[in-house]
Amino acid sequence: MLKDAIVIGTGFGGMTAAALLAKAGYDVLTLEAANELGGCGSKFDRAGYRFSAGATVGMGFEEGGMLKRLFEELDAPIPPMSKLNEIMNVYLPDRTVTYFSDKERWYKEVASKFEQDQERILSFFEEVFKVSNVLQNFVEKRAIFPPSTASEYFHLLKSMDVKLLGLAPYLTQSVQDRLSKYGLTKNKPFLTFINGQLMDSVQTTATFSPSLLGYMALSIFHNGAFYVEGGLASIIHALSEVYRASGGELRLRHKVVSIAKQGDVWTVMTKRGQVFRTKQVIMNAPIHNVFSLLEPELHRNLPIKEPKEKEKDAWGAFTLYIGAEPSFMMPETSSIPFHQFISSYDSPLSEGNQFLFSMSQEGDTRFAPTGKRSITISTHTNVGKWWERESYESRKEEYMETIIDSIDKRFSSFSSHIDVKMAGTPVTFKRYTQRAYGKVGGYIPSGKYSLLKSYSPNSGVEGLWFCGDTVFPGAGSLGSSLSGWMVADAIKGKHPRQGM
Ligand SMILES: Cc1cc2nc3c(=O)[nH]c(=O)nc-3n(C[C@H](O)[C@H](O)[C@H](O)COP(=O)(O)OP(=O)(O)OC[C@H]3O[C@@H](n4cnc5c(N)ncnc54)[C@H](O)[C@@H]3O)c2cc1C
């Protein structure tokens, strides 16, 4: 039977597109290689605990927020979650900065923790908030970027307003350029703090982060950050429920191994040899996976070329999954779910020198038995070395030790409270999320102009669409979901259901 659309993958991008199309009456089939939904936003159960596989910080559910609007559009209940006032403690080598959602408290916090440059820092953040407000309005209109068809150009132009045009000078500047305008590049603790935040969102530091992308990232917590009960996988599961209730078909453990086109019909083949036919293919695997799936004759129309694909920079993740009894922290600290550790001002913010520690909250029994907590820790890592077999196990031990030592330095009895611990590497991510080479989190911006070099959700091959963190508008659950929404919009616009 000919499907209206086949979605490959159930990450934030794929599940968003699938749910929107099914809700609008399209006949959709979603194929997922893994046994679990959600890719980098998924979960797994071990030894009486549930662990978030990767993503932990919920965003976009504030009034008017992107995911809140998505659930409204789908007329679906939002999973239980709480908006955080104290979002994160950031442990720098000589001070702790608490990330408050409320702007006034945040201004007071930065002024007291970076006293030396407080006036300049406050002015910098005022600019960050002003610029990102304008950008937010634009992004919400879901124009496909970069545009390639007349209708995409038209939608893009329609989404722009005078205020957005006023941001043109920022297009040619990095965050570092802006910090330099405020005389803040010599303040090492502040710069490290900013770089730590940018690494977790934009995947690079101020020097290479386009200012507009960086400003969105630096303001996002102040729109709202959320603790989602049971982890971000609860959001994916809620989307899958709407999808199924709307008639969408979902098959787990169905890995797609090839995509080919005859006339205007696509055939999608799975590892088990099943063949499905459709008019539209939505690929939620990263763009760098496409070469191993798509028939070679169609490669020439793609935005990236195969030899370049291997070099395209993206981080891997080294993760630790720990089940623990939480009394190593004071109750007021353990009620903050997110903790960023930065051990040294002089080392790169990766490979264990910087990591995010996310802990389930008291009473969230989806995650851990009463009195225990589930912890997911992640640090950025260079993927290449994890594919060297000889050093794999010793490297894993070494990373585990480095991270646990850092936590022990801050919370002295941490290791003695551990019940269960497991590590994940780029090899693990490749195995469970299919991401080629274990590259996660979207591509690393290469400098101030990299926003202009984003990849479009429109693949350039008629009927093939991309969504997820390797295409515009970029990384994280929010960006991935938004790209899925753009794809659903585009398909609905081009191929309306009869009678709709
Ligand atoms: C360690 C870590 C921490 C993170 N922390 C956060 C955070 O706190 N907050 C946040 O918002 N974001 C975070 N992110 C980023 C966020 O998780 C990702 O950007 C987002 O989840 C990616 O979604 P995606 O749509 O690109 O799909 P992916 O997550 O890549 O999922 C794609 C899915 O497609 C499936 N698939 C791929 N190929 C095939 C195939 N051939 N056949 C069938 N199925 C296939 C995969 O199995 C997978 O389930 C984090 C990422 C990592 C790795």
Side-chain angles (χ1 to χ4, degrees), residues 7-15 31-42 53-59 200 203 232 236 251 253-258 269-270 283-286 289 292-293 315-319 321 338 356 358 376-379 429-435 438-442 467-471 474-481 483-484:
V7 180
I8 303 171
T10 60
F12 270 92
M15 217 51 254
L31 301 168
E32 167 56 59
N35 199 19
E36 286 275 357
L37 301 173
C40 298
S42 73
T56 52
V57 188
M59 283 167 281
D200 268 354
Q203 310 294 317
L232 298 203
I236 296 280
R251 299 196 188 196
R253 295 179 299 281
H254 277 62
K255 180 175 170 174
V256 171
V257 291
S258 81
M269 192 195 275
T270 68
M283 192 175 107
N284 182 212
N289 279 30
S292 59
L293 298 179
W315 289 104
F318 176 84
T319 43
Y321 306 106
F338 307 113
L356 182 66
S358 307
T376 292
I377 297 168
S378 58
T379 185
F429 273 90
K430 161 80 175 64
R431 180 164 167 210
Y432 289 104
T433 68
Q434 307 299 322
R435 299 183 67 115
K439 289 179 181 180
V440 292
C467 62
D469 57 19
T470 54
V471 298
S477 53
L478 266 187
S480 303
S481 209
S483 63

Coordinates of all heavy atoms in Angstrom, one line a residue, residues 7-15 31-42 53-59 200 203 232 236 251 253-258 269-270 283-286 289 292-293 315-319 321 338 356 358 376-379 429-435 438-442 467-471 474-481 483-484, ligand 1:
V7 N 8.2 8.1 8.0 CA 9.2 8.8 8.9 C 10.2 7.8 9.4 O 9.8 6.7 9.9 CB 8.4 9.4 10.1 CG1 9.4 10.2 11.0 CG2 7.3 10.4 9.6
I8 N 11.5 8.1 9.2 CA 12.5 7.2 9.6 C 13.1 7.7 10.9 O 13.9 8.7 10.9 CB 13.6 7.0 8.5 CG1 13.0 6.5 7.2 CG2 14.7 6.1 9.0 CD1 13.9 6.6 6.1
G9 N 12.7 7.2 12.0 CA 13.3 7.6 13.3 C 12.3 8.3 14.2 O 11.4 9.1 13.7
T10 N 12.4 8.1 15.5 CA 11.4 8.7 16.4 C 12.1 9.6 17.4 O 11.8 9.7 18.6 CB 10.7 7.6 17.3 OG1 11.8 6.8 18.0 CG2 9.9 6.6 16.4
G11 N 13.2 10.4 17.0 CA 13.7 11.4 17.8 C 12.7 12.6 17.8 O 11.6 12.5 17.3
F12 N 13.1 13.7 18.4 CA 12.2 14.8 18.6 C 11.7 15.3 17.2 O 10.5 15.6 17.1 CB 12.9 16.0 19.3 CG 12.7 15.9 20.8 CD1 13.6 15.2 21.6 CD2 11.6 16.4 21.4 CE1 13.4 15.1 23.0 CE2 11.3 16.3 22.8 CZ 12.2 15.7 23.6
G13 N 12.6 15.3 16.2 CA 12.2 15.8 14.9 C 11.2 14.8 14.3 O 10.1 15.3 13.8
G14 N 11.5 13.6 14.2 CA 10.7 12.6 13.5 C 9.3 12.4 14.2 O 8.3 12.4 13.5
M15 N 9.3 12.4 15.5 CA 8.0 12.2 16.2 C 7.1 13.4 16.1 O 5.9 13.3 16.0 CB 8.4 11.9 17.7 CG 7.5 10.9 18.4 SD 7.3 9.3 17.5 CE 5.6 9.4 16.9
L31 N 9.1 4.2 11.2 CA 10.0 3.1 11.4 C 11.2 3.5 12.3 O 11.8 4.5 12.1 CB 10.6 2.6 10.1 CG 9.5 2.2 9.0 CD1 10.2 2.0 7.6 CD2 8.8 0.9 9.5
E32 N 11.4 2.7 13.4 CA 12.4 3.1 14.3 C 13.3 1.8 14.5 O 12.8 0.7 14.8 CB 11.8 3.5 15.7 CG 12.7 3.5 16.9 CD 13.9 4.4 16.7 OE1 13.7 5.7 16.4 OE2 15.0 3.9 16.8
A33 N 14.6 2.0 14.4 CA 15.5 0.9 14.5 C 15.6 0.3 15.9 O 15.8 -0.9 16.1 CB 16.9 1.4 14.1
A34 N 15.5 1.2 16.9 CA 15.7 0.8 18.3 C 14.5 0.2 18.9 O 13.4 0.2 18.3 CB 16.2 2.0 19.1
N35 N 14.7 -0.3 20.1 CA 13.6 -0.9 20.8 C 12.8 0.2 21.6 O 11.8 -0.1 22.2 CB 14.2 -1.9 21.8 CG 13.2 -2.9 22.3 OD1 12.2 -3.1 21.7 ND2 13.5 -3.5 23.4
E36 N 13.4 1.3 21.7 CA 12.9 2.5 22.5 C 12.6 3.6 21.6 O 13.4 3.8 20.6 CB 13.9 2.9 23.5 CG 14.1 2.1 24.7 CD 13.1 2.3 25.8 OE1 12.3 3.2 25.7 OE2 13.2 1.6 26.8
L37 N 11.7 4.5 21.9 CA 11.4 5.7 21.1 C 12.4 6.8 21.6 O 12.9 6.8 22.7 CB 10.0 6.2 21.4 CG 8.8 5.3 21.1 CD1 7.6 6.0 21.6 CD2 8.7 5.1 19.6
G38 N 12.8 7.7 20.7 CA 13.4 9.0 21.2 C 14.8 9.2 20.9 O 15.3 10.3 21.1
G39 N 15.6 8.3 20.4 CA 17.0 8.5 20.0 C 17.7 9.2 21.2 O 17.8 8.6 22.3
C40 N 18.3 10.3 21.0 CA 19.1 11.0 22.0 C 18.3 11.5 23.2 O 18.8 11.8 24.2 CB 19.9 12.1 21.4 SG 21.1 11.6 20.2
G41 N 17.0 11.5 22.9 CA 16.0 11.9 24.0 C 15.4 10.7 24.6 O 14.3 10.9 25.3
S42 N 15.9 9.5 24.4 CA 15.2 8.3 25.0 C 15.6 8.0 26.4 O 16.4 8.7 27.0 CB 15.5 7.2 24.0 OG 16.8 6.7 24.2
A53 N 18.9 8.7 28.4 CA 20.0 8.3 27.6 C 21.0 9.5 27.3 O 22.2 9.4 27.3 CB 19.6 7.6 26.3
G54 N 20.4 10.6 27.0 CA 21.2 11.8 26.7 C 20.5 13.1 27.2 O 20.9 13.6 28.3
A55 N 19.5 13.6 26.5 CA 18.9 14.9 26.8 C 18.2 14.8 28.2 O 17.5 13.8 28.5 CB 18.0 15.3 25.7
T56 N 18.3 15.9 28.9 CA 17.7 15.9 30.3 C 16.9 17.2 30.5 O 15.9 17.2 31.3 CB 18.7 15.8 31.4 OG1 19.8 16.7 31.1 CG2 19.3 14.4 31.4
V57 N 17.4 18.4 30.0 CA 16.8 19.7 30.4 C 15.6 20.0 29.4 O 15.8 20.1 28.2 CB 17.8 20.8 30.2 CG1 17.3 22.1 30.8 CG2 19.2 20.5 30.9
G58 N 14.4 20.1 30.0 CA 13.3 20.4 29.2 C 13.1 21.9 28.9 O 13.4 22.7 29.8
M59 N 12.8 22.2 27.7 CA 12.6 23.6 27.3 C 11.4 23.8 26.4 O 11.0 22.8 25.8 CB 13.9 24.2 26.6 CG 15.0 24.5 27.6 SD 16.5 24.7 26.8 CE 17.1 23.1 26.4
D200 N 27.1 23.5 25.9 CA 25.9 22.7 26.1 C 24.8 22.9 25.1 O 23.8 22.1 25.1 CB 25.5 22.8 27.5 CG 26.1 21.7 28.4 OD1 26.9 20.9 27.9 OD2 26.0 21.8 29.6
Q203 N 27.2 24.0 21.1 CA 28.3 23.0 20.8 C 29.6 23.6 20.6 O 30.6 22.9 20.2 CB 27.9 22.0 19.7 CG 26.6 21.4 19.7 CD 26.4 20.4 20.9 OE1 27.3 19.7 21.2 NE2 25.3 20.6 21.6
L232 N 12.9 13.5 29.4 CA 12.4 14.0 28.1 C 11.7 12.9 27.3 O 10.9 13.2 26.4 CB 13.5 14.7 27.3 CG 14.2 15.9 27.9 CD1 14.8 16.8 26.9 CD2 13.3 16.8 28.8
I236 N 8.4 12.5 24.2 CA 8.3 11.7 23.0 C 7.2 10.7 23.1 O 6.4 10.5 22.1 CB 9.7 10.9 22.8 CG1 10.8 11.9 22.6 CG2 9.6 9.9 21.7 CD1 11.0 12.4 21.2
R251 N 6.4 1.2 14.0 CA 7.1 -0.1 14.2 C 8.5 0.1 14.8 O 9.3 0.7 14.1 CB 7.2 -0.8 12.8 CG 5.9 -1.0 12.2 CD 6.0 -2.0 11.0 NE 4.8 -2.1 10.3 CZ 4.5 -3.1 9.5 NH1 5.4 -4.1 9.3 NH2 3.3 -3.2 8.8
R253 N 12.1 -1.6 16.3 CA 13.1 -2.6 15.8 C 12.9 -2.8 14.3 O 13.0 -3.9 13.7 CB 12.8 -4.0 16.5 CG 13.1 -3.9 18.0 CD 12.9 -5.2 18.7 NE 11.5 -5.6 18.6 CZ 10.5 -5.1 19.4 NH1 10.8 -4.2 20.3 NH2 9.2 -5.5 19.2
H254 N 12.7 -1.7 13.5 CA 12.6 -1.8 12.1 C 13.7 -0.8 11.5 O 13.4 0.4 11.4 CB 11.2 -1.4 11.6 CG 10.3 -2.5 11.5 ND1 9.9 -3.1 12.7 CD2 9.6 -3.1 10.5 CE1 9.0 -4.1 12.4 NE2 8.8 -4.1 11.1
K255 N 14.9 -1.3 11.4 CA 15.9 -0.4 10.9 C 15.8 -0.3 9.3 O 15.8 -1.3 8.6 CB 17.3 -1.0 11.3 CG 18.4 -0.2 10.8 CD 19.7 -0.7 11.3 CE 20.9 0.0 10.6 NZ 22.2 -0.3 11.2
V256 N 15.8 0.9 8.9 CA 15.8 1.2 7.4 C 17.2 1.0 6.9 O 18.2 1.6 7.4 CB 15.2 2.6 7.1 CG1 15.4 2.9 5.6 CG2 13.8 2.6 7.5
V257 N 17.4 0.2 5.8 CA 18.7 0.1 5.2 C 18.9 0.7 3.8 O 20.0 0.9 3.4 CB 19.1 -1.4 5.2 CG1 19.4 -1.9 6.6 CG2 18.1 -2.3 4.5
S258 N 17.7 0.9 3.1 CA 17.9 1.7 1.9 C 16.6 2.4 1.5 O 15.5 2.1 1.9 CB 18.3 0.7 0.7 OG 17.1 0.0 0.3
M269 N 13.4 0.2 2.4 CA 13.6 -1.2 2.7 C 14.2 -1.3 4.1 O 15.1 -0.5 4.5 CB 14.5 -1.8 1.7 CG 14.5 -3.4 1.9 SD 15.8 -4.1 1.0 CE 15.1 -4.3 -0.6
T270 N 13.7 -2.3 4.9 CA 14.2 -2.5 6.2 C 15.2 -3.6 6.2 O 15.3 -4.4 5.3 CB 13.1 -2.8 7.3 OG1 12.6 -4.1 6.9 CG2 12.0 -1.8 7.2
M283 N 13.4 11.9 6.8 CA 14.5 11.2 7.5 C 14.9 12.0 8.8 O 15.3 13.1 8.7 CB 15.7 11.1 6.5 CG 16.8 10.2 7.1 SD 18.1 9.9 6.0 CE 19.4 10.9 6.8
N284 N 14.8 11.3 9.9 CA 15.1 11.9 11.2 C 16.5 11.4 11.6 O 17.0 11.8 12.7 CB 14.1 11.5 12.2 CG 14.3 12.1 13.6 OD1 13.9 11.5 14.6 ND2 14.8 13.3 13.6
A285 N 17.2 10.6 10.9 CA 18.6 10.3 11.2 C 19.4 11.5 10.8 O 18.9 12.3 9.9 CB 19.0 9.1 10.4
P286 N 20.6 11.7 11.3 CA 21.4 12.9 10.9 C 21.7 12.8 9.4 O 21.8 11.8 8.8 CB 22.6 12.8 11.8 CG 22.5 11.6 12.6 CD 21.2 10.9 12.4
N289 N 24.1 10.4 7.9 CA 23.7 9.0 7.7 C 23.2 8.8 6.3 O 23.1 7.6 5.9 CB 22.6 8.6 8.7 CG 23.1 8.3 10.1 OD1 24.1 8.9 10.5 ND2 22.4 7.4 10.8
S292 N 24.6 6.2 3.4 CA 24.5 4.8 3.5 C 23.1 4.3 3.2 O 22.9 3.1 3.1 CB 25.0 4.3 4.9 OG 24.2 4.9 5.9
L293 N 22.1 5.2 3.2 CA 20.8 4.8 2.9 C 20.2 5.1 1.5 O 19.5 4.3 1.0 CB 19.8 5.5 3.9 CG 20.1 5.3 5.4 CD1 19.1 6.1 6.3 CD2 19.9 3.8 5.8
W315 N 30.4 16.7 17.9 CA 30.9 16.0 19.1 C 30.3 14.7 19.2 O 29.2 14.4 18.7 CB 30.6 16.8 20.3 CG 31.3 18.1 20.5 CD1 30.8 19.4 20.2 CD2 32.7 18.3 20.9 NE1 31.8 20.3 20.5 CE2 32.9 19.7 20.9 CE3 33.7 17.4 21.3 CZ2 34.2 20.2 21.3 CZ3 34.9 17.9 21.7 CH2 35.2 19.3 21.7
G316 N 31.0 13.9 20.0 CA 30.4 12.7 20.6 C 30.1 12.9 22.0 O 30.5 14.0 22.6
A317 N 29.4 12.0 22.7 CA 29.2 12.2 24.1 C 29.7 11.0 24.9 O 29.5 9.8 24.5 CB 27.7 12.3 24.4
F318 N 30.4 11.3 26.0 CA 30.7 10.2 27.0 C 29.7 10.4 28.1 O 29.6 11.5 28.6 CB 32.1 10.4 27.5 CG 32.4 9.3 28.6 CD1 32.8 8.0 28.2 CD2 32.3 9.6 29.9 CE1 33.0 7.1 29.2 CE2 32.5 8.7 30.9 CZ 32.9 7.4 30.5
T319 N 29.0 9.4 28.4 CA 27.9 9.5 29.4 C 28.2 8.5 30.6 O 28.7 7.4 30.4 CB 26.6 9.2 28.8 OG1 26.7 8.0 28.0 CG2 26.0 10.3 28.0
Y321 N 25.8 6.8 33.7 CA 24.5 6.6 34.2 C 24.7 6.0 35.6 O 25.2 4.9 35.8 CB 23.7 5.6 33.3 CG 23.7 6.1 31.9 CD1 24.5 5.4 30.9 CD2 22.9 7.2 31.5 CE1 24.5 5.9 29.6 CE2 22.9 7.6 30.2 CZ 23.7 6.9 29.2 OH 23.7 7.4 27.9
F338 N 19.9 20.2 37.9 CA 21.0 20.2 36.9 C 22.2 20.9 37.5 O 22.1 21.9 38.2 CB 20.6 20.9 35.6 CG 19.3 20.4 35.0 CD1 18.1 21.1 35.0 CD2 19.3 19.0 34.6 CE1 17.0 20.5 34.5 CE2 18.1 18.5 34.1 CZ 17.0 19.2 34.0
L356 N 27.8 17.9 32.4 CA 26.5 18.2 33.0 C 26.0 17.0 33.8 O 26.0 15.9 33.3 CB 25.5 18.5 31.8 CG 24.1 18.9 32.3 CD1 24.1 20.2 33.1 CD2 23.1 19.0 31.2
S358 N 22.8 15.6 35.7 CA 21.4 15.8 35.8 C 20.8 14.7 36.8 O 21.1 13.5 36.6 CB 20.7 15.6 34.5 OG 21.3 16.4 33.5
T376 N 22.2 11.2 35.2 CA 22.8 11.1 33.9 C 23.9 12.2 33.8 O 23.6 13.3 34.0 CB 21.8 11.2 32.7 OG1 20.9 10.1 32.7 CG2 22.5 11.3 31.4
I377 N 25.1 11.8 33.4 CA 26.2 12.7 33.3 C 26.7 12.7 31.9 O 26.8 11.6 31.3 CB 27.3 12.4 34.3 CG1 26.8 12.4 35.7 CG2 28.6 13.2 34.1 CD1 27.8 11.8 36.7
S378 N 26.9 13.9 31.3 CA 27.5 13.8 29.9 C 28.6 14.9 29.7 O 28.5 16.0 30.2 CB 26.4 14.0 28.9 OG 25.7 15.2 29.1
T379 N 29.6 14.4 29.0 CA 30.7 15.4 28.6 C 30.9 15.2 27.1 O 30.7 14.2 26.5 CB 32.0 15.1 29.4 OG1 32.9 16.1 29.1 CG2 32.6 13.7 29.1
F429 N 26.3 5.2 21.4 CA 25.3 6.1 20.8 C 25.1 5.6 19.3 O 24.0 5.6 18.8 CB 25.8 7.6 20.8 CG 25.3 8.3 22.1 CD1 26.1 8.3 23.2 CD2 24.0 8.8 22.1 CE1 25.6 8.9 24.4 CE2 23.5 9.4 23.3 CZ 24.3 9.4 24.4
K430 N 26.2 5.2 18.7 CA 26.1 4.7 17.3 C 25.1 3.5 17.3 O 24.2 3.3 16.5 CB 27.5 4.3 16.8 CG 27.5 3.4 15.6 CD 27.2 4.2 14.3 CE 27.3 3.3 13.0 NZ 26.4 2.2 12.9
R431 N 25.4 2.6 18.3 CA 24.6 1.4 18.4 C 23.1 1.6 18.7 O 22.2 1.0 18.1 CB 25.2 0.5 19.5 CG 24.5 -0.8 19.6 CD 25.3 -1.8 20.4 NE 24.5 -2.9 20.8 CZ 24.6 -3.6 21.9 NH1 25.6 -3.4 22.7 NH2 23.8 -4.6 22.1
Y432 N 22.8 2.5 19.6 CA 21.4 2.7 20.0 C 20.7 3.8 19.3 O 19.4 3.8 19.4 CB 21.4 2.9 21.5 CG 21.7 1.6 22.3 CD1 22.9 1.5 22.9 CD2 20.8 0.6 22.4 CE1 23.3 0.3 23.6 CE2 21.1 -0.6 23.0 CZ 22.3 -0.7 23.7 OH 22.7 -1.9 24.3
T433 N 21.4 4.7 18.7 CA 20.7 5.8 18.0 C 21.0 5.9 16.5 O 20.5 6.7 15.8 CB 21.0 7.2 18.6 OG1 22.3 7.6 18.4 CG2 20.7 7.3 20.1
Q434 N 21.9 5.0 16.1 CA 22.3 4.9 14.7 C 23.0 6.1 14.2 O 23.3 6.2 13.0 CB 21.0 4.7 13.8 CG 20.1 3.6 14.2 CD 20.7 2.2 14.1 OE1 21.6 2.0 13.2 NE2 20.5 1.4 15.1
R435 N 23.5 7.0 15.0 CA 24.1 8.2 14.5 C 25.5 7.8 14.1 O 26.3 7.4 14.9 CB 24.1 9.3 15.6 CG 22.6 9.6 15.9 CD 22.6 10.8 16.9 NE 23.0 12.0 16.3 CZ 22.3 13.1 16.1 NH1 21.0 13.1 16.3 NH2 22.8 14.2 15.6
G438 N 28.8 7.9 15.9 CA 28.5 8.4 17.3 C 28.5 9.9 17.4 O 28.6 10.4 18.5
K439 N 28.3 10.6 16.3 CA 28.3 12.1 16.4 C 26.9 12.5 16.8 O 25.9 12.1 16.2 CB 28.5 12.7 15.0 CG 29.9 12.5 14.5 CD 30.0 13.2 13.1 CE 31.4 13.1 12.5 NZ 31.4 13.7 11.1
V440 N 26.8 13.3 17.8 CA 25.5 13.7 18.4 C 25.4 15.3 18.5 O 26.5 16.0 18.4 CB 25.3 13.1 19.8 CG1 25.1 11.6 19.7 CG2 26.4 13.5 20.7
G441 N 24.2 15.8 18.8 CA 24.1 17.2 19.1 C 24.2 18.2 18.0 O 24.3 19.4 18.2
G442 N 24.1 17.7 16.7 CA 24.2 18.7 15.6 C 25.6 19.0 15.3 O 26.5 18.7 16.0
C467 N 14.8 16.1 9.1 CA 14.5 16.8 10.4 C 15.4 16.2 11.4 O 15.8 15.1 11.3 CB 13.0 16.7 10.7 SG 12.4 15.1 11.1
G468 N 15.6 17.1 12.4 CA 16.5 16.7 13.5 C 17.6 17.7 13.7 O 17.6 18.8 13.1
D469 N 18.6 17.4 14.6 CA 19.5 18.4 15.0 C 20.6 18.7 14.0 O 21.4 19.6 14.3 CB 20.1 18.1 16.4 CG 20.8 16.8 16.5 OD1 21.2 16.2 15.4 OD2 21.0 16.3 17.6
T470 N 20.7 18.1 12.9 CA 21.7 18.5 11.9 C 21.2 19.4 10.8 O 21.9 19.8 9.9 CB 22.4 17.2 11.2 OG1 21.3 16.4 10.7 CG2 23.2 16.4 12.2
V471 N 19.9 19.8 10.9 CA 19.3 20.8 10.0 C 18.8 22.0 10.7 O 18.6 21.9 12.0 CB 18.2 20.2 9.1 CG1 18.7 19.1 8.2 CG2 17.0 19.8 9.9
G474 N 18.5 23.7 14.2 CA 19.6 23.3 14.9 C 19.4 22.5 16.1 O 18.3 21.9 16.3
A475 N 20.4 22.5 17.0 CA 20.5 21.5 18.0 C 19.5 21.5 19.1 O 18.8 22.5 19.3 CB 21.9 21.6 18.6
G476 N 19.5 20.4 19.9 CA 18.6 20.4 21.0 C 17.2 19.8 20.7 O 16.8 19.8 19.5
S477 N 16.5 19.5 21.7 CA 15.1 19.0 21.5 C 14.3 20.0 20.8 O 13.5 19.7 19.9 CB 14.5 18.5 22.8 OG 14.6 19.6 23.8
L478 N 14.4 21.3 21.2 CA 13.6 22.3 20.6 C 13.8 22.5 19.1 O 12.9 22.5 18.3 CB 13.9 23.7 21.3 CG 13.1 24.1 22.5 CD1 13.4 25.5 22.9 CD2 11.6 24.0 22.1
G479 N 15.1 22.6 18.8 CA 15.5 22.9 17.4 C 15.0 21.7 16.5 O 14.5 21.8 15.4
S480 N 15.2 20.5 17.1 CA 14.9 19.2 16.3 C 13.4 19.2 16.1 O 12.9 18.9 15.0 CB 15.3 18.0 17.1 OG 16.7 18.0 17.3
S481 N 12.7 19.5 17.1 CA 11.2 19.4 17.0 C 10.7 20.4 16.0 O 9.8 20.2 15.2 CB 10.7 19.7 18.4 OG 9.5 19.1 18.6
S483 N 12.3 21.6 13.5 CA 12.5 21.2 12.1 C 11.5 20.2 11.6 O 11.1 20.2 10.5 CB 13.9 20.7 11.9 OG 14.1 19.5 12.7
G484 N 11.0 19.3 12.6 CA 10.0 18.3 12.2 C 8.7 19.0 11.9 O 7.9 18.7 11.0
Ligands
LIG1 C1 24.4 13.5 25.9 C2 23.4 14.4 25.4 C3 22.8 15.4 26.2 C4 21.8 16.3 25.6 N1 21.2 17.1 26.5 C5 20.2 17.9 26.0 C6 19.3 18.6 26.9 O1 19.5 18.6 28.1 N2 18.3 19.3 26.3 C7 18.0 19.3 25.0 O2 17.1 19.9 24.5 N3 18.8 18.6 24.1 C8 19.9 17.9 24.6 N4 20.6 17.1 23.8 C9 20.4 17.2 22.3 C10 19.1 16.4 21.9 O3 19.0 15.2 22.6 C11 19.2 16.1 20.5 O4 19.5 17.2 19.7 C12 17.8 15.6 19.9 O5 17.2 14.7 20.8 C13 18.0 15.0 18.6 O6 16.8 14.7 18.0 P1 16.7 14.3 16.5 O7 15.4 14.6 16.0 O8 17.9 14.8 15.8 O9 16.8 12.7 16.6 P2 17.7 11.6 17.2 O10 17.7 11.8 18.7 O11 19.0 11.5 16.5 O12 16.9 10.3 16.9 C14 16.9 9.7 15.6 C15 16.1 8.4 15.7 O13 16.1 7.8 14.4 C16 16.4 6.4 14.5 N5 17.1 6.0 13.3 C17 18.2 6.5 12.8 N6 18.5 5.8 11.6 C18 17.5 4.9 11.4 C19 17.3 3.9 10.4 N7 18.1 3.7 9.4 N8 16.1 3.2 10.5 C20 15.2 3.4 11.6 N9 15.5 4.3 12.6 C21 16.6 5.0 12.5 C22 17.3 6.3 15.7 O14 17.3 5.0 16.3 C23 16.8 7.4 16.7 O15 15.8 6.8 17.5 C24 21.6 16.2 24.3 C25 22.2 15.3 23.4 C26 23.1 14.4 24.0 C27 23.7 13.4 23.1

